Amino acid sequence: MVLFKQSVTLICLFTLCFASYSQQVSMGVKGGLNYSINQYAAEITSAQGTFTTTSQIGYQLGTFLQWELSDLYLRPEAYYSLTKGEFSFPNISSAYSIKKVSLPVLIGCNISERVSVFVGPAYQHILESNLDNVKEAVFSQQRNLAAQVGLMLEFQRLQIDLRYDFTFNSPVTQQISIPGILDNALLDDGRLNQFMLSVSYKLFAPGLPEVFQKRNSSCYF
């Protein structure tokens, strides 16, 4: 959480600096739900078979900064997320979760007055990963880089975005055991890819709340 607080502080400082010199800077907070998917996700291989996670609902909370430079719009974000899944083994199920701080930098383009698409890389810092019922402490071997792509709707101070978050895989595995269920099983890189639905609220934006300033049809982030 220290990294998350530092990231939020940096974004706030950037906002104050850019707000002094630009009329295109906005800043706000965001939050929402995520839904893990089992394709290209965490997998456990053992003599008893191969097991993948079932989808579960988690959440994310954070902040964002966005500003427009000429025809481009840049949107860095910082948020904390809890992503969850579940392994179904013979006679037992084990919840799996990942807590992390993500720092995406998004770039996008308007496709209509209120609709835009975006894409960008994200740096991830894994805070904790847990797998119920295992004897060993589970560590995550996720790569620190991910990619995000999505769609955003904007209504004055409110923004609604739906994105796909894909973590790049790693060849590293970890050996785990569940007494009486699994022996010498291998947990792969442990990533949980996800769909994320978030609502953002602009705390600061030029021209708000008096008049909502429509963006032109140029690209933005």
Side-chain angles (χ1 to χ4, degrees):
M1 292 303 294
V2 174
L3 178 61
F4 176 68
K5 293 178 181 178
Q6 292 175 343
S7 301
V8 172
T9 300
L10 286 175
I11 287 184
C12 292
L13 290 175
F14 277 131
T15 300
L16 293 176
C17 292
F18 277 94
S20 301
Y21 299 101
S22 173
Q23 299 300 312
Q24 301 299 326
V25 177
S26 61
M27 186 200 89
V29 294
K30 60 175 295 180
L33 302 176
N34 59 64
Y35 186 69
S36 63
I37 56 176
N38 58 15
Q39 187 176 20
Y40 309 118
E43 184 176 87
I44 294 177
T45 304
S46 70
Q48 290 76 22
T50 298
F51 306 92
T52 58
T53 58
T54 56
S55 299
Q56 300 287 325
I57 295 176
Y59 66 88
Q60 63 273 346
L61 296 169
T63 185
F64 70 91
L65 169 68
Q66 64 179 45
W67 67 87
E68 189 172 354
L69 300 173
S70 184
D71 292 337
L72 293 178
Y73 190 95
L74 184 66
R75 182 186 172 99
E77 299 179 345
Y79 60 85
Y80 166 84
S81 67
L82 170 64
T83 309
K84 299 188 292 184
E86 185 176 73
F87 286 98
S88 295
F89 304 117
N91 304 319
I92 194 172
S93 294
S94 294
Y96 179 58
S97 64
I98 297 175
K99 299 176 183 179
K100 63 185 176 182
V101 172
S102 297
L103 305 174
V105 179
L106 305 173
I107 184 168
C109 185
N110 290 327
I111 58 177
S112 70
E113 180 180 330
R114 299 187 184 279
V115 181
S116 65
V117 292
F118 59 83
V119 66
Y123 172 80
Q124 301 177 335
H125 178 70
I126 308 303
L127 301 174
E128 183 181 355
S129 56
N130 291 300
L131 178 58
D132 289 350
N133 304 312
V134 300
K135 293 168 47 178
E136 302 80 8
V138 176
F139 61 89
S140 176
Q141 290 297 322
Q142 291 188 62
R143 290 283 175 84
N144 287 333
L145 291 179
Q148 297 185 354
V149 59
L151 178 74
M152 180 181 290
L153 304 177
E154 185 163 346
F155 307 93
Q156 297 188 2
R157 287 188 180 272
L158 291 178
Q159 297 171 320
I160 302 173
D161 76 79
L162 176 65
R163 70 184 67 177
Y164 174 57
D165 177 86
F166 177 84
T167 301
F168 296 104
N169 69 336
S170 169
V172 180
T173 60
Q174 178 186 0
Q175 190 173 66
I176 63 172
S177 297
I178 299 179
I181 304 296
L182 299 177
D183 293 316
N184 300 321
L186 291 179
L187 170 66
D188 69 0
D189 57 6
R191 58 184 171 149
L192 287 176
N193 300 318
Q194 58 191 315
F195 285 104
M196 308 175 71
L197 179 64
S198 299
V199 176
S200 301
Y201 182 79
K202 295 180 182 178
L203 298 174
F204 169 84
L208 292 176
E210 294 81 9
V211 178
F212 174 60
Q213 297 180 345
K214 297 180 181 178
R215 284 201 295 261
N216 55 31
S217 59
S218 60
C219 293
Y220 76 97
F221 281 165

